[in-house]
Amino acid sequence: MREAAFIKQNKDNWLKFESLLKNYSQIDPEVLSNLYIQITDDLSYAQTFYPKSETHIYLNELSVSAHQKIYKNKRESRYTFINFYRRDFPLMFYKYQKHLLFSFSIFLLFALVGAFSAASDGDFVRLILGDAYVNNTIANIGSGDPMAVYKEANQTDMFLGITINNIRVSLTAFSLGLLFGLGTLYIAMQNAIMLGSFQYFFYDQGLLWESARTIWIHGTIEISVIIIAICAGFVMGQSLLMPGTYKRLDSFIRGAKDGLKIVISSIPFFVIAGFLEGYVTRHTEMPDWLAILIIASSLLLIIYYYVILPHQLNKKYAKAD
């Protein structure tokens, strides 16, 4: 990119940052820190492509000034952990809403493929879910308790095992983004096809509602945050495939950091999903209204945190700027 085009593309952000520095005491330090990261990225780019230019000198001086105000005088907040979940992550995640929509769409597509394949081939469900699970479930259906599989294990053991396994799947989906997103795509395909064939299996047994009102008690959050982890993998994969104006290494570092933040954001939700599966789902005798309440509340929680809150915070801080 020519220097003139680089200046034209970023000049407004630089001037806005200068203005914020003049009113530093009135601006949230964390917001200023995020803007500072953008300035240092631009400085790195200018240092690589326009060394010793006026643009490089200007950005260097701006960066030094910001560093002095932000980091020398900044006291470490006792609420950093809370602020990450309450504000910092949702604000950052706003820019990845399209990645989230893409991840959801891919997952839904493969889930439909799984359901269609199960409907077309009688052996497909056994291929995907395994003979042991299918035979056990058919036996449970015959005994009048089709969801008995959720009652077989000890509650605490089930909670811990499910939570750890789901976090492992999440980290795998993210880390395989290193393969330019193809590894993440495979994890999405694998889990979505399994879900689609699993749900069709109960439909074929005439138990669609019974399975849905039971399984989605924990599955609403569980599947949602698996999609979030897939989103994290695609974020990292895109950083390698399409670095934009950054050097590929710099782009990858940014993508990996943001992807890791996305995964970290999902951990409390995996704990909630594990708790629900271990302690709540097993109560298949609960009334429909209670199951629906839990499922609806879980869905609203996910939508609020990953979609509504990022838009609210972005709008709030855009006004502050």
Side-chain angles (χ1 to χ4, degrees), residues 14-31:
W14 301 341
L15 294 176
K16 181 186 294 184
F17 189 71
E18 276 193 274
S19 176
L20 288 175
L21 284 178
K22 293 176 182 177
N23 301 289
Y24 171 73
S25 61
Q26 302 174 20
I27 302 299
D28 189 323
E30 294 296 334
V31 174

Side-chain angles (χ1 to χ4, degrees), residues 113-182:
V113 168
F116 178 79
S117 299
S120 303
D121 184 351
D123 294 328
F124 186 78
V125 171
R126 290 183 176 274
L127 177 66
I128 298 298
L129 301 179
D131 287 331
Y133 178 84
V134 173
N135 292 336
N136 185 38
T137 301
I138 291 176
N140 289 335
I141 293 172
S143 66
D145 192 1
M147 298 293 112
V149 66
Y150 294 104
K151 306 174 185 178
E152 294 173 355
N154 173 270
Q155 292 176 324
T156 302
D157 291 344
M158 193 171 185
F159 161 58
L160 293 175
I162 291 295
T163 301
I164 292 171
N165 180 69
N166 286 338
I167 292 175
R168 179 189 61 79
V169 171
S170 172
L171 290 173
T172 301
F174 164 63
S175 60
L176 287 181
L178 280 168
L179 302 176
F180 300 96
L182 294 177

Side-chain angles (χ1 to χ4, degrees), residues 209 212-213 216-221 224 276 286 288-304:
W209 170 245
R213 53 90 67 195
W216 289 98
I217 286 175
H218 64 270
T220 301
I221 292 180
S224 295
L276 290 173
M286 76 170 64
D288 286 352
W289 68 264
L290 181 56
I292 293 171
L293 178 63
I294 295 172
I295 293 169
S297 298
S298 298
L299 182 60
L300 287 174
L301 175 63
I302 291 293
I303 292 175
Y304 175 75

